[in-house]
Amino acid sequence: KLGTAFVKGGSLKSIVIDPQNKVYDSRDNCNAVIESATNRMILGCSTTTIPKTVITIAGSCFTSYEYFETLTIPNTIQEIEYGALGCNIKNLIIEDGDISLQIEYIHGEVLSAYIGRNLLYPSTGSTSSIFSGNTESDYKPIITSITFGPKVTVIPQYICKEAKGLKTI
């Protein structure tokens, strides 16, 4: 479980994997740890760029110590595991695409989101709000804006159930 090994590593700015490593890589100088065999990103930091070859973002990949002005989720990502986005994001961009993105809950704070494809809950039947933008200490929703792209045909029932700060859709 490498993704939780550095959960309190707030000053982490660079991640380099030896090119000889047969299990993990940090392709395209992405500043992340990727499981080579599965294309699953298991650890990122505030300077991470998600390569288009990644298909899953693992739980605890990004922690509350990271801040992103903009975080772009490529259209190749098929799943964002529970707890993967525990960071603070000013602008979240989920690129336009035809493949639905499986996502349950974003633990970090998101100020604005562009959603370019359908979002699906995992089969757990969760009723958690995807974009509530809550912090674990005070549960204050902060998301203010959500924009849906032209490929979105289904909006999840609980996308922003408790986001009282939402001003624009």
Side-chain angles (χ1 to χ4, degrees), residues 72-127:
T72 300
I73 307 296
N75 58 17
T76 55
I77 300 291
Q78 297 174 19
E79 179 182 11
I80 297 176
E81 294 178 356
Y82 184 83
L85 300 181
C87 52
N88 296 317
I89 306 166
K90 185 174 181 183
N91 301 296
L92 177 65
I93 298 170
I94 299 173
E95 288 183 340
D96 292 346
D98 296 320
I99 299 170
S100 295
L101 175 62
Q102 184 171 301
I103 183 171
E104 186 170 351
Y105 178 69
I106 295 176
H107 284 80
E109 296 179 346
V110 177
L111 187 59
S112 72
Y114 173 83
I115 302 168
R117 57 194 167 128
N118 291 335
L119 303 179
L120 300 174
Y121 286 115
S123 60
T124 62
S126 172
T127 59

Side-chain angles (χ1 to χ4, degrees), residues 17 24 28-29 31 54 77 111 140-141 154 167 169:
I17 304 294
Y24 301 109
D28 305 326
N29 297 315
N31 280 321
V54 170
I77 300 291
L111 187 59
K140 291 182 182 175
V154 176
K167 295 180 177 33
I169 295 178

Side-chain angles (χ1 to χ4, degrees), residues 27-100:
R27 61 191 76 156
D28 305 326
N29 297 315
C30 65
N31 280 321
V33 178
I34 300 167
E35 241 174 12
S36 302
T38 62
N39 292 316
R40 182 174 177 253
M41 181 179 286
I42 60 173
L43 179 66
C45 64
S46 62
T47 58
T48 293
T49 302
I50 303 169
K52 290 202 177 269
T53 53
V54 170
I55 59 171
T56 302
I57 300 174
S60 299
C61 184
F62 297 101
T63 69
S64 61
Y65 295 95
E66 275 86 45
Y67 171 80
F68 290 88
E69 182 71 27
T70 300
L71 179 62
T72 300
I73 307 296
N75 58 17
T76 55
I77 300 291
Q78 297 174 19
E79 179 182 11
I80 297 176
E81 294 178 356
Y82 184 83
L85 300 181
C87 52
N88 296 317
I89 306 166
K90 185 174 181 183
N91 301 296
L92 177 65
I93 298 170
I94 299 173
E95 288 183 340
D96 292 346
D98 296 320
I99 299 170
S100 295

